[in-house]
Structure formats: structure tokens, C-alpha cells
Amino acid sequence: MDAQSLVSFSPPSMLLTGLIVVLMYIIYRLTKPRYEKNFPPLRRGLVPWLGCAFEFGVEPLSFIDKMRQKMGTVYTLYVAGERLTFLTDADDFHHFFQSANVDFQKAVQDPVQNIASVSEESFFQFHTKIHDMVKGRLASSRLVHFHDDLCEGFNKEIAAAVSVKGPCNLHDVVRKSMYIAVINNLFGPGVLPTTNPAKFKELEKNFVLFDELFEYGARLPTFMIRDWTSSKWWLIGMFKDLYKGIKNKERSENETILQTLLNLVDDKHAPNYALLFLWASLANAVPITFWCLVFILSDQKVWSELKKEISSTLGTERNGQIKITEKQIRDMPFLRSCVLEAIRLRPAGIITRRVVKAFKIKEMEIPAGDMLMLSPYWAHRNPKYFSDCEEFRPDRWKDADLEKNLFLDGFVAFGGGRYQCPGRWYAQMEIQMYVALFLQKVDCTVLTDHIPPPSTKHLVGTQQPAEPFLVDLKQTF
């Protein structure tokens, strides 16, 4: 053995190595997730504190189902200091939505603070008020106040989008045209820079980045996601510049939801809440609309049946502005079935509650402090409720009583309980309206020979397409 080797094994070096090993063991013991025999099966992972964060983070949607197959219908993952307990059996979902032992607000407060810099005090003071306000303003009985202006906006923006020549990505077309029309409808015409192409392009660029990295913003330090953080503060800054002018407007029965929101919350966080409302308005309904069109255009039988329904309802004349009434939307049940089937296949990856009091599921104790997790994405692939669950089959919705707004058993896309999605009726209306107008006004030649897979890397909200869906669009008039 040479002298260098002797030095490396000297007593001081060995002592230092031993101290490091002991210190790492102490840290591991202090951060090791607690486990008892009557708890659900636990995946600890190999790295102290991080647990199985790396495994979970690579493709979280796939990992959720992989662990279900390995550990059973109720199991726990230890991820970055949190115990995430997953419920994957629909028979247990009532615990998630109805139990007094779980709390929605305590589950989302910390992510909201990270995403939009809303303080804990402000969140708990205003969240329920905001939810109830949006629920009331966007109730099915009040959609008449939004319907005609939204239809006019969609007509205009679809025509503008189709005027671009050559192959294009359908996702980009839907996103831009819906962004402008929906923003004007909910925030007020021209309140955000929707009429200035250069400024709107900047708004779109920052919002798309904010949306695509939304869940990373909920968990990661800002120095790891600098571009996302810059976009976040650009958007908040935009609302700060608009805030005083909007709030100081004279209040009336016809005020926009944005104006109502800004008058409801504290001045300090008003722009931050406006950013959250912008995200809620666009982040799910827009990609669902894209997926709905993709599924329809990729299935000739579905497309043929829907075309007959749209033509018989709206007529064969397709020149100029097409006005769709509320009654006409109701008279297109197959269209609604297509929309709901798209929502079934592309819902949120996960929704969550915080366990505030220990309780039992299947004789297993769910301890207080756990994050209780439910995946609509996998719930909608349960063969007990959805045969041929990976297939786009709008006809399955004939078994639902949609006239009474009763969905299929096992369908949980809009959540449930006290904080069920407050904008679910508006979302369904806008998607149905856009799809009907698009298919009536546009000749669409599909250039991609397959349906793009959804990204499995994201859990929050609707999955984005993992690759482009190319089309060639032409106006039908």
C-alpha cells in the first residue's frame, strides 16, 4: 500500500467518516416517516426526507397506477416530507368528498401561497367568499348573461385563427382564439390587452409558461424556476396596473366578475387573486376543448353523427356570424356527450384534501396530517364504471340523465362536496359552443395520423398534449 493510501485511512479520516455516517443516520431517523401496522402500505423511498420524490416526479401519473397495482387500492407515498395517501377504489371516494375529517382549504392554502403569493391570513379570510361568488355568478341559471357575447367573441376569433394559411398546431389555434374570447367575456372587453396584438402576444407567452409550470411553482424554490417566477410577477404586475381603474368603477348589476372579485378581497392581494382567477378561467376548459376536437376529428363515425346533429340544429347556412342560442345547445345532446367524454379522458391528474382528524378506511387508519389524494384521471379508467375505458365513446353518456345534470357513476371530474368546481356549468357551455362553431365554420384537414398522447408529467389540471396535432384549416365561406 502506498503512502497516499495510508493517509486516506489514517485515524482522523476514519473518525470523520464515522461521524458523517452517524450524522446521516440521525437525520434519517428524525425525518423518517412514521409508520404503524394499521396504516396503509407505505412507499418510503431510499433518500431521507425526499422519500420517493424522484420516482414520483419522473412520470407521476404512471407511478400512481404502478403503486396501486403493487400496494393495493389504499396506499401512502412519502414525498419530500409529506405523506400522500391515495384512494383508488371508487367505493372509498365518499370519504374524500364528504368526510368531516378532511379539509380542502388546508390542502391548497400552501400551494396557493407559493403560486400566487397570497398570504395564509388572506386566503382563509376570502377563499370561501370567492368560491361562492363565482359559483353564484356562473350558475347555470345565469349563463344567459354571458352567452351572446361569448358566441360573438368565438365567431370573431375562430375566423381570425383560420385566416392563417398553411399547416398549424390545433392546440395553438384553440388556445389563442379561446383565450381572447373568454378573457373578454369574464374580465370585460378590452380590460386586458386583447385588442393589442403585440401586448396580447406577451400576455399569452407569460400565461402559457405560468400554466405549463404551474405545479412546479407550487413546490419548487423560486431560484429553480426563474422563468416561471418572472412570468408570474409579470402577470401580477399587469393586474396591479389595472387594479385601481377597475375597482374605482361605479358598481352595478352588470359589473364583470373581475370587478366583483377586486371589490371582495383585500387591496394588497387583489392582483394576486385576479391572477388565480385568470388561471382558473383558462387552464382546464381550453385544453379540454382541444382534446374534444381531436377525438372527434380522429373518429369518422363520431364526426359524421355529430355533423348531422349540428347541421340539423344550426342549419346548413354557414356564412358570417353564427348565433347559437341556449336552446340550440340543449338540442345537441350528442355534442354534450362528446364534451363529457373528452373531460372523462382528460381530467385533472389529482385532487387533494388535508386529513385534519384520523379516521379509518378499509380498517386502515389514515393519520391526521396526511394529504389525501384522489386521481380523476385513473378513476375514469376504472373498468367497473367505464368499459373500454381508454376509448372515446360518447354513446356511453346515453346512460346518464343529462337533462337533470346527473353524470355517470364514477365520474369525478368536477370534484364534489362543499368546494365542487364553481365554474363547471360555464365551462361546459363554452366548450360546447366553441366546438359547434368551429366544426360549423371550419373545414379541417387532419395532417397527423394519430391522437397525441397526453403528458404524464403533470398532475394539476388537464393534461397538455405531449406533441403537436397538425391540421390545415379553411373557412367554409
Side-chain angles (χ1 to χ4, degrees):
M1 187 175 288
D2 60 24
Q4 184 63 38
S5 298
L6 287 172
V7 170
S8 65
F9 280 91
S10 63
S13 298
M14 293 176 67
L15 178 61
L16 179 60
T17 301
L19 287 173
I20 291 173
V21 171
V22 171
L23 180 60
M24 290 180 67
Y25 178 75
I26 291 172
I27 293 173
Y28 173 72
R29 294 297 299 179
L30 290 175
T31 60
K32 181 180 178 181
R34 53 202 169 88
Y35 180 74
E36 296 181 9
K37 289 183 178 179
N38 62 334
F39 283 7
L42 172 66
R43 176 83 167 198
R44 285 193 177 95
L46 299 176
V47 184
W49 189 77
L50 288 176
C52 57
F54 291 119
E55 297 175 278
F56 184 65
V58 175
E59 286 197 348
L61 272 178
S62 300
F63 192 66
I64 289 170
D65 194 53
K66 178 182 176 182
M67 291 299 99
R68 177 193 64 80
Q69 296 177 41
K70 183 175 182 178
M71 295 196 290
T73 59
V74 182
Y75 64 86
T76 301
L77 303 179
Y78 186 70
V79 178
E82 287 270 26
R83 285 174 48 93
L84 311 181
T85 295
F86 285 83
L87 303 184
T88 63
D89 184 345
D91 290 340
D92 297 324
F93 288 176
H94 66 281
H95 294 292
F96 186 92
F97 292 119
Q98 300 169 15
S99 174
N101 300 312
V102 302
D103 189 283
F104 171 76
Q105 292 186 108
K106 290 184 178 179
V108 302
Q109 180 275 316
D110 190 55
V112 166
Q113 186 166 356
N114 294 335
I115 289 164
S117 299
V118 173
S119 71
E120 179 179 358
E121 179 183 6
S122 178
F123 175 82
F124 283 115
Q125 181 179 357
F126 295 111
H127 172 260
T128 298
K129 295 177 182 179
I130 294 171
H131 175 276
D132 292 349
M133 180 274 289
V134 174
K135 179 181 177 181
R137 292 290 300 274
L138 298 181
S140 58
S141 61
R142 293 183 58 85
L143 294 182
V144 62
H145 300 295
F146 301 92
H147 190 277
D148 291 350
D149 288 342
L150 184 61
C151 186
E152 183 179 344
F154 281 160
N155 269 285
K156 178 182 177 181
E157 299 308 326
I158 289 173
V162 175
S163 66
V164 177
K165 303 300 181 182
C168 55
N169 183 0
L170 183 60
H171 190 215
D172 293 338
V173 171
V174 172
R175 185 156 56 190
K176 183 174 182 179
S177 54
M178 287 193 77
Y179 278 4
I180 293 176
V182 172
I183 287 172
N184 284 337
N185 194 235
L186 294 178
F187 289 73
V191 172
L192 301 191
T194 54
T195 57
N196 184 314
K199 289 184 177 180
F200 179 76
K201 186 175 182 179
E202 190 174 10
L203 164 61
E204 183 183 18
K205 179 191 73 173
N206 282 285
F207 180 80
V208 167
L209 179 58
F210 178 79
D211 179 28
E212 290 182 345
L213 299 182
F214 185 84
E215 64 195 81
Y216 298 106
R219 287 288 181 183
L220 296 179
T222 55
F223 72 86
M224 296 180 67
I225 43 173
R226 293 185 185 277
D227 289 344
W228 179 87
T229 303
S230 295
S231 289
K232 161 188 165 177
W233 287 110
W234 187 94
L235 293 163
I236 290 176
M238 175 187 68
F239 283 113
K240 281 184 178 178
D241 292 340
L242 297 170
Y243 174 52
K244 288 184 179 179
I246 296 173
K247 185 172 180 178
N248 290 337
K249 285 185 178 179
E250 183 178 349
R251 305 201 64 180
S252 69
E253 292 182 357
N254 297 322
E255 69 184 23
T256 66
I257 295 182
L258 178 62
Q259 187 178 356
T260 305
L261 174 67
L262 296 180
N263 280 286
L264 181 63
V265 301
D266 59 303
D267 291 344
K268 179 180 179 181
H269 296 100
N272 310 60
Y273 284 115
L275 170 59
L276 289 172
F277 183 62
L278 178 66
W279 182 83
S281 302
L282 304 177
N284 292 308
V286 173
I288 284 291
T289 305
F290 159 77
W291 285 116
C292 189
L293 285 170
V294 169
F295 289 132
I296 292 167
L297 294 170
S298 301
D299 189 320
Q300 188 57 45
K301 182 179 178 181
V302 169
W303 171 213
S304 178
E305 182 176 349
L306 182 57
K307 182 159 51 176
K308 290 178 182 178
E309 181 180 76
I310 293 174
S311 296
S312 65
T313 304
L314 302 183
T316 56
E317 179 62 44
R318 296 185 285 184
N319 294 331
Q321 295 276 315
I322 299 173
K323 184 175 181 180
I324 301 179
T325 66
E326 287 186 282
K327 181 180 183 301
Q328 286 174 323
I329 287 182
R330 291 194 300 271
D331 288 342
M332 293 186 282
F334 189 65
L335 171 62
R336 188 178 185 190
S337 294
C338 289
V339 170
L340 289 172
E341 183 69 350
I343 294 173
R344 181 188 71 82
L345 285 168
R346 297 291 185 266
I350 57 168
I351 50 180
T352 184
R353 303 286 190 268
R354 176 74 73 179
V355 180
V356 294
K357 183 179 179 182
F359 67 106
K360 288 188 176 182
I361 298 177
K362 287 184 165 63
E363 302 304 316
M364 290 178 281
E365 182 168 343
I366 313 300
D370 275 20
M371 293 288 281
L372 199 62
M373 318 294 284
L374 188 154
S375 173
Y377 182 90
W378 288 113
H380 292 173
R381 284 159 173 76
N382 185 341
K384 177 180 177 181
Y385 296 102
F386 305 102
S387 59
D388 301 319
C389 57
E390 290 289 352
E391 294 185 11
F392 181 72
R393 279 185 38 200
D395 60 294
R396 75 174 79 243
W397 288 89
K398 292 178 181 177
D399 296 330
D401 191 349
L402 296 182
E403 289 188 5
K404 295 182 179 179
N405 290 321
L406 297 176
F407 303 120
L408 292 173
D409 289 342
F411 182 79
V412 293
F414 300 119
R418 173 67 175 83
Y419 293 104
Q420 191 173 16
C421 175
R424 61 192 182 278
W425 307 122
Y426 181 90
Q428 292 177 73
M429 179 266 287
E430 66 174 304
I431 298 170
Q432 291 175 74
M433 181 188 291
Y434 184 95
V435 170
L437 285 171
F438 185 92
L439 295 177
Q440 184 76 343
K441 292 170 69 72
V442 178
D443 280 336
C444 182
T445 302
V446 176
L447 305 177
T448 300
D449 62 1
H450 63 281
I451 294 174
S455 170
T456 57
K457 296 182 179 181
H458 302 290
L459 289 176
V460 179
T462 299
Q463 295 82 45
Q464 304 289 341
E467 57 190 52
F469 187 77
L470 298 179
V471 294
D472 188 24
L473 307 177
K474 295 180 181 179
Q475 295 184 10
T476 57
F477 54 89

